[in-house]
Amino acid sequence: MGFFPKIRASSVVAPEVRADAIDYVNRVNWLFETWDLEGAIAAFTSDARVYHFHGSLHGEAEIRHFLSEVYPYLIPGVSRHASNHIVDVEESGLVAVRYQNLLVRYATLEDAPKLGDGQVHESELLPALWLYSPMLDRLEKTEKGWKIAERYIGSSTTNMMLTPVDTSAAAVAPYLPKP
């Protein structure tokens, strides 16, 4: 995992810090899964850095543009599962959370809105693991709670059979979860 920066733990992690940090990462995944765009953007510090397989971002404006224009195809019919969390308090005071993020495609774009009503959907292909990504979130405690100061998405593997043909924001927009 050469892409990820070295983590220099400064102390033993208190159980409540570990639990809070893991809970925060999982809650941020839920913001993405339910397409709470404003909540997802607010999960980052205003000067956050994100290193994604689609490129590097810095600050709220770039994160907003990325999430609005590049990322939407990763939302409809997709569930996120963070696992194997490792939490360390760094010398800088940031809390590093390393984990694997698994994206499970449970519906095609077209079928995704139907499943919001609690219907059962049958498929010969789905659900299936669509994307695997090792992750590192460096969290900063602010007066408003945890925020992501840095996010690293490592070398990822995607099952291309499950990727929509047209991944443009315009093509995906009709299938995004509605607030």
Side-chain angles (χ1 to χ4, degrees):
M1 200 65 52
F3 170 74
F4 283 23
K6 289 271 189 208
I7 301 301
R8 303 210 189 288
S10 66
S11 63
V12 174
V13 181
E16 61 276 4
V17 171
R18 180 182 312 282
D20 285 350
I22 292 170
D23 182 64
Y24 187 73
V25 165
N26 291 336
R27 287 177 183 276
V28 171
N29 259 352
W30 185 251
L31 295 172
F32 280 88
E33 189 165 327
T34 59
W35 199 231
D36 180 345
L37 180 60
E38 295 307 315
I41 292 166
F44 293 85
T45 62
S46 61
D47 63 343
R49 294 190 177 277
V50 177
Y51 304 94
H52 196 278
F53 53 80
H54 281 298
S56 298
L57 315 166
H58 180 236
E60 184 177 333
E62 288 184 15
I63 291 171
R64 177 178 297 282
H65 174 77
F66 175 78
L67 292 179
S68 300
E69 299 301 321
V70 177
Y71 197 83
Y73 80 98
L74 293 158
I75 301 299
V78 178
S79 180
R80 286 152 174 72
H81 302 273
S83 63
N84 299 333
H85 299 82
I86 301 168
V87 180
D88 287 300
V89 176
E90 297 187 80
E91 294 169 351
S92 65
L94 296 177
V95 173
V97 183
R98 290 166 282 179
Y99 57 101
Q100 284 87 41
N101 215 19
L102 306 173
L103 275 59
V104 175
R105 179 161 292 288
Y106 61 84
T108 63
L109 288 179
E110 299 78 16
D111 289 335
K114 297 180 212 170
L115 291 172
D117 297 331
Q119 296 178 15
V120 174
H121 179 70
E122 293 182 355
S123 169
E124 292 181 15
L125 177 64
L126 301 174
L129 185 60
W130 177 33
L131 187 111
Y132 161 82
S133 297
M135 306 276 292
L136 165 59
D137 286 346
R138 283 183 155 151
L139 307 179
E140 180 179 315
K141 191 71 159 185
T142 71
E143 58 189 36
K144 293 183 178 182
W146 292 110
K147 299 282 183 178
I148 299 170
E150 290 182 352
R151 172 170 273 189
Y152 296 82
I153 296 95
S155 299
S156 300
T157 302
T158 302
N159 181 341
M160 292 303 294
M161 292 186 336
L162 303 176
T163 301
V165 174
D166 186 348
T167 61
S168 69
V172 173
Y175 308 109
L176 288 169
K178 306 294 183 236

